[in-house]
Amino acid sequence: MEREIFGVTVDQLTLAGAQTVYMLGWGMLFGTVIGIGLALTLVLSRRGGLMENHVTYAAVNVTINIVRSIPFIILLVAMMPITRMIVGTSVGSRAALVPLIVYIAPFIARMVEASLLEVSPGVLEAAKAMGASNAQIVRRFLLPEAYSSIVLALTTSVVGLLGATAMAGYGGGGGVGDLALTYGRERFNTPLMVFTVIILIIFVQLMQAAGNYLSRRLRDPR
């Protein structure tokens, strides 16, 4: 007989953990790439930016605000037809990735935008005075100066995405959230609910500690 822990098999626990890591990993990867791209677009095209463009700034700014105003659980349901069109199904961890990326990318964009705006204008002016192109300023001055703050922004984002992956379980995305809902809440399995909560708390603590350490190292390499 297969070993059980808190009323579920070890295989079910392992699968739920793997599904959460899958959604979290790929969601953060794609969300970070898109989010940093959006943040750079906002910073560069804003008034007084290196590539000032009011139309571009307004379009990206409004789009981000619209997406961020939609709660994730509603976004998850509303995007099911689009999700089905992209990945061929609206159920499962792979399908949950689509709304997760759409949810987290604008969030990361706002966090990274704030980090980039913290960079002293004097640094950028000095780079321009040295004859650096816009691409060189972004790659060698703007992003490196903001690395430490961006790491903290991404740490906050990954914690937010973890919460969204739990909600994705409600829509059939699997993972720890699905395990807690299906085998914990619906079966009144309190020990399992407590166990999943403790696991999530430990995970968040570890991620925050790692983010703080990396940010500190980037700010002061000594």
Side-chain angles (χ1 to χ4, degrees):
M1 183 176 178
E2 196 168 357
R3 184 184 174 192
E4 290 190 353
I5 300 176
F6 303 121
V8 296
T9 66
V10 173
D11 286 346
Q12 287 174 313
L13 283 173
T14 304
L15 177 62
Q19 288 172 331
T20 294
V21 171
Y22 173 84
M23 290 187 285
L24 203 57
W26 286 111
M28 275 304 294
L29 177 63
F30 286 108
T32 299
V33 171
I34 297 171
I36 290 179
L38 292 173
L40 285 172
T41 302
L42 286 171
V43 172
L44 296 177
S45 64
R46 69 187 299 115
R47 187 188 298 275
L50 294 174
M51 303 170 67
E52 184 176 328
N53 187 311
H54 300 300
V55 175
T56 300
Y57 178 82
V60 176
N61 188 49
V62 170
T63 301
I64 288 175
N65 287 343
I66 291 174
V67 176
R68 289 201 61 203
S69 66
I70 305 173
F72 177 71
I73 194 68
I74 296 176
L75 186 69
L76 177 70
V77 176
M79 285 196 63
M80 280 185 173
I82 300 174
T83 300
R84 196 177 299 113
M85 186 172 64
I86 295 174
V87 298
T89 177
S90 59
V91 179
S93 300
R94 190 161 61 97
L97 269 181
V98 178
L100 284 171
I101 293 170
V102 173
Y103 166 77
I104 201 63
F107 183 83
I108 291 175
R110 284 298 184 210
M111 300 288 286
V112 174
E113 178 194 16
S115 299
L116 295 175
L117 291 176
E118 289 177 0
V119 177
S120 171
V123 174
L124 305 185
E125 290 297 329
K128 287 169 67 176
M130 288 188 289
S133 66
N134 288 339
Q136 289 172 328
I137 292 174
V138 169
R139 193 173 65 254
R140 298 182 180 178
F141 296 91
L142 185 59
L143 285 175
E145 285 290 324
Y147 277 158
S148 175
S149 181
I150 289 175
V151 167
L152 289 179
L154 294 179
T155 304
T156 302
S157 301
V158 76
V159 173
L161 185 61
L162 178 64
T165 63
M167 282 188 278
Y170 184 77
V176 175
D178 182 43
L179 187 77
L181 287 169
T182 305
Y183 296 92
R185 187 178 69 87
E186 294 181 1
R187 298 186 182 183
F188 303 102
N189 189 341
T190 302
L192 178 63
M193 288 292 288
V194 173
F195 175 72
T196 55
V197 169
I198 291 174
I199 291 295
L200 292 174
I201 290 173
I202 292 173
F203 182 81
V204 169
Q205 295 297 323
L206 291 175
M207 291 302 299
Q208 190 64 57
N212 290 344
Y213 173 77
L214 183 56
S215 175
R216 193 165 55 248
R217 293 287 296 178
L218 287 169
R219 191 170 53 248
D220 184 9
R222 292 173 297 176

